[in-house]
Amino acid sequence: MRILVLGGDGYLGWPTALRFSARGHEVGIVDNFLRRHYHVELGTDSLTPIRPLQERVRAWHEVSGRELQVFIGDITDYSFLEPVIRDFAPDAVIHYAEQPSAPYSMMDRAHAVFTQTNNVVGTLNLLFALRDHAPDCHLIKLGTMGEYGTPNIDIEEGFIEIHHNGRSDILPFPKQPGSFYHLSKVHDSHNIQFACRAWGLRCTDLNQGVVYGIETEETVQDERLITRFDYDECFRTALNRFCVQAVIGHPLTVYGKGGQTRGFLNIKDTLQCVELTANNPPAEGEYRVFNQFTEQFTVMQLAEVVAKAGTELGLRTEIRPIPDPRVEQEEHYYNAKHTKLIDLGLKPHYLSEELVESMLRVIQRYRDRVVMDRIVPRITWRPARAREEAIA
Ligand code: NAD
Ligand code: USQ
């Protein structure tokens, strides 16, 4: 297949590009280095020393003998994106190229507007480019489990059967997202579903849970192929962050009661899920949704696994809950279906103490790179007045 990875310089996009290239597909990467730019803006950096994209691509060629095509540009710029889609003529586009952080989107008005403009306009541009230049292409879009929020009923995979006043229909599952970032994904989902209905495009919306992990089969082949790994308050995910905190001796920052439950998956399973999806495309005009995670945990359970693994390695790890900077339920019902990818053959890598220990060992190699004053959260969901009242 000819596979275009939008956001191919990112945490998930880079290993995904390598995976498909290793399998013999023709792979193109699109990125505008926005992710690298956010870290310059915030004074943070990847724990792992990632190389410039061109150097990574050369290293992959040395290791594998395979070429990756690179397109540097912004997908919100249609004059850039349109010729890329037309000339590359992809069989599948894997779309990771969005601003992925909830806290970043909650910093202030400008960051909320930027997040929604970048994400919604980029996806809209892509839909038009596919309609006009690659209408049979399979769009594999990274959405998020956070689109659903935390309702007090079971979460279905995208759709729910509703009985109302004696009639019934299968309708999109209700969405109650918890940040302007998560909302951008809901807006994308609506636009994509409409484009499938109106223009006959085919799309899989992958509602992915929180990803953890550093290494994949391809990235371990050469240090220059390592993917980024973040631990700061903005661009981290919970488990990755707790692992870095354990290594540097910082108390694990469980927010609030720690009963927040989410779906989680190993980065290796992100690649497996995307590959299974690409190998099993939907029909023309079909919009389908897969819930992409392998296990549910509360945040406190994650912290406990990290604390245990840290103790095994002789680290002094302490869990110290801090007031939740977000507006979210700190204890709640959560039961989300996730059978469609299993039905396609997903073989999960489950979370274990051994796996966390192996992450801690990799992190120990780079511990001198940690920017210590970027651990404690400063971004809050509440407006300044509400914060002052809460403190009083
Ligand atoms: P990332 O920031 O590392 O990767 C996104 C990449 O897209 C970056 O390299 C960035 O430079 C690029 N990009 C952003 N906007 C662009 C634009 N307008 N034009 C061109 N390139 C652009 O993030 P990630 O963690 O790899 O996440 C990838 C995708 O998966 C995101 O859409 C995210 O919302 C989604 N997702 C991530 C997770 C997770 O836990 N990491 C979980 C669920 C969903
Ligand atoms: N949390 C803590 N302590 C921390 C960091 C986070 O308790 O130090 C809590 C948060 O309050 C939240 C939960 O852990 O309840 C998950 O937070 P997170 O930062 O790991 O993940 P989140 O902000 O939800 O976003 C991440 C990715 C995003 C993706 C989403 C999937 O950054 O791109 O969409 O996971 S999901 O959560 O399923 O929506």
Side-chain angles (χ1 to χ4, degrees), residues 322-346:
I322 56 176
D324 195 339
R326 306 184 182 196
V327 174
E328 62 186 352
Q329 293 185 71
E330 293 176 19
E331 279 175 330
H332 55 90
Y333 178 78
Y334 197 79
N335 183 30
K337 302 274 170 66
H338 55 113
T339 54
K340 291 187 184 172
L341 283 157
I342 300 281
D343 291 346
L344 288 181
L346 173 66

Side-chain angles (χ1 to χ4, degrees), residues 1-8 13-30 66-71 84-85 87-96 130 137-140 271 274-281:
M1 280 189 274
R2 296 181 62 74
I3 305 216
L4 197 58
V5 181
L6 309 186
W14 172 246
T16 300
L18 298 191
R19 167 59 50 89
F20 281 99
S21 178
R23 297 277 196 268
H25 300 287
E26 288 303 318
V27 177
I29 287 178
V30 175
R66 302 202 58 86
E67 303 278 355
L68 294 166
Q69 276 193 63
V70 173
F71 304 91
V84 172
I85 297 291
D87 300 343
F88 188 83
D91 298 305
V93 171
I94 303 170
H95 179 17
Y96 289 110
L130 292 175
C137 173
H138 177 191
L139 169 57
I140 300 172
L271 304 197
V274 169
E275 198 178 352
L276 285 166
T277 303
N279 290 339
N280 296 279

